[in-house]
Amino acid sequence: MVGLGTPNKQLSLEFDTGSFLTWTRCQPCVSPCCYPQNDPIFDPAASTSYAKISCNSAECAQLRRSQCSSAANTCVYEVIYGDESHTNGVFSKDKLTLTPADVFDGFLFGCGQDNEGFHDGSAGLLASSTGYLSFGSPTGASNAAIKYTRLTTLSSGSTYYGLNLVGINVNGQKLSIPASVFSSPGTIIDSGTVISRLPPTAFSALRDAFQAAMTSYPSVPGDGFLDTCYDLNCNPTVTYPKIEFVFGDGVTLTLDATGIVYLLDGTMKQVCLAFVGNDDADELTIFGNTQQKNMEVLYDVAGERVGFAPGGC
């Protein structure tokens, strides 16, 4: 939770490791792009410290994608993420309150009025509300429990945290997926993408293996882009297949249930496989937010590696 505005309004924002811009949904929200969120929508008119960024300002010029609303001399931003979700609205500044001692005047952020593709109830992107993320030295898990894999640089953009993903195992068996499927155009880790994205070949192989292991549970129609779903109302205990991500330096990362299925109704009664296939083989593989929950994720930028340990929350 962070506070935005004067008086500050508490907002649940996700920490996004794959983006350069903080944003939150703002009034007025453009219908039909008003997805449900847990917190009240931020109203800039109710904040005495809020201000819009002008078109000809240095702040507007630093945006990677912007345009000018000439009638109001207002800088308009747009961000499109790797999973095709997007946000656009008014580039703005206001007071940001992290703790009573950590207050930042004139904090730059996007006041989002058209936001699509976000489904987890958060108010926008900044800091994690579910899950545990740490930069630098480990704070929770013992050093022995942390599995480190090296960070890589992608040709498509040096701002991303790249991973050398080479394969996926299901119940101890390596799926028949060539490593080149993941290396071109590459794999990134991104806490701002809710559902992980896989190349079409890799997703088909994972979905087939998952379905083969779940034949004792009744399937149900998919929900939006999630197409492998089950009704578990009559199953007091459920056994999911073991899914592991394999990296090029020999590190194998085992997902727990929260990283394997996505809960449609907030309970374990309606679930879907928590992966989506990309439309095109040339799109990035994304290791997303759902797979990072219940993990301690450590970014050792100086050491050019990222570490994973169980029990983050």
Side-chain angles (χ1 to χ4, degrees):
M1 297 289 287
V2 301
L4 186 65
T6 306
N8 80 69
K9 301 298 182 183
Q10 291 294 300
L11 301 171
S12 301
L13 305 179
E14 289 184 17
F15 196 102
D16 182 10
T17 57
S19 180
F20 63 95
L21 179 71
T22 295
W23 65 269
T24 187
R25 289 177 63 207
C26 285
Q27 297 284 12
C29 181
V30 179
S31 180
C33 304
C34 295
Y35 66 88
Q37 72 175 46
N38 299 325
D39 308 313
I41 299 175
F42 181 72
D43 184 359
S47 173
T48 60
S49 50
Y50 173 83
K52 299 176 181 179
I53 302 299
S54 63
C55 293
N56 57 357
S57 65
E59 292 88 350
C60 187
Q62 77 183 17
L63 290 176
R64 299 179 187 177
R65 181 176 298 189
S66 65
Q67 51 188 298
C68 182
S69 175
S70 55
N73 187 28
T74 300
C75 183
V76 178
Y77 78 93
E78 181 180 28
V79 180
I80 301 175
Y81 298 98
D83 62 356
E84 301 303 319
S85 59
H86 75 262
T87 174
N88 61 63
V90 178
F91 195 37
S92 310
K93 63 180 178 181
D94 208 334
K95 180 180 290 186
L96 178 73
T97 302
L98 300 181
T99 70
D102 297 304
V103 180
F104 304 89
D105 292 316
F107 180 79
L108 296 172
F109 72 102
C111 210
Q113 295 175 343
D114 182 354
N115 317 282
E116 296 188 57
F118 308 97
H119 305 282
D120 63 346
S122 65
L125 299 184
L126 172 69
S128 177
S129 60
T130 303
Y132 186 91
L133 184 68
S134 176
F135 287 86
S137 301
T139 58
S142 67
N143 286 324
I146 303 171
K147 293 183 176 181
Y148 284 102
T149 186
R150 67 184 181 90
L151 291 170
T152 62
T153 300
L154 278 67
S155 59
S156 58
S158 59
T159 60
Y160 294 124
Y161 291 107
L163 298 176
N164 185 25
L165 180 65
V166 297
I168 300 175
N169 298 338
V170 176
N171 284 337
Q173 298 296 313
K174 182 180 179 181
L175 299 180
S176 182
I177 308 169
S180 59
V181 168
F182 300 108
S183 61
S184 178
T187 301
I188 65 170
I189 179 171
D190 178 17
S191 62
T193 297
V194 177
I195 303 294
S196 289
R197 263 57 180 178
L198 298 176
T201 300
F203 176 71
S204 294
L206 175 60
R207 179 180 58 191
D208 291 349
F210 184 80
Q211 290 175 339
M214 295 286 288
T215 54
S216 58
Y217 307 105
S219 62
V220 294
D223 178 71
F225 53 83
L226 298 172
D227 66 359
T228 305
C229 305
Y230 297 87
D231 183 348
L232 306 179
N233 277 288
C234 297
N235 295 274
T237 60
V238 178
T239 301
Y240 296 109
K242 181 180 179 182
I243 296 179
E244 299 169 311
F245 272 42
V246 182
F247 299 99
D249 45 14
V251 172
T252 299
L253 181 63
T254 302
L255 305 181
D256 70 5
T258 60
I260 295 174
V261 294
Y262 188 82
L263 313 183
L264 288 183
D265 57 357
T267 72
M268 295 299 287
K269 300 302 183 183
Q270 295 277 339
V271 304
C272 296
L273 177 63
F275 295 88
V276 173
N278 287 332
D279 294 329
D280 195 296
D282 293 332
E283 295 176 318
L284 286 170
T285 301
I286 305 176
F287 187 77
N289 175 282
T290 296
Q291 282 64 43
Q292 297 176 55
K293 291 178 180 178
N294 283 10
M295 286 187 185
E296 184 170 0
V297 183
L298 302 104
Y299 287 79
D300 180 2
V301 179
E304 299 182 349
R305 61 180 186 167
V306 61
F308 301 94
C313 289

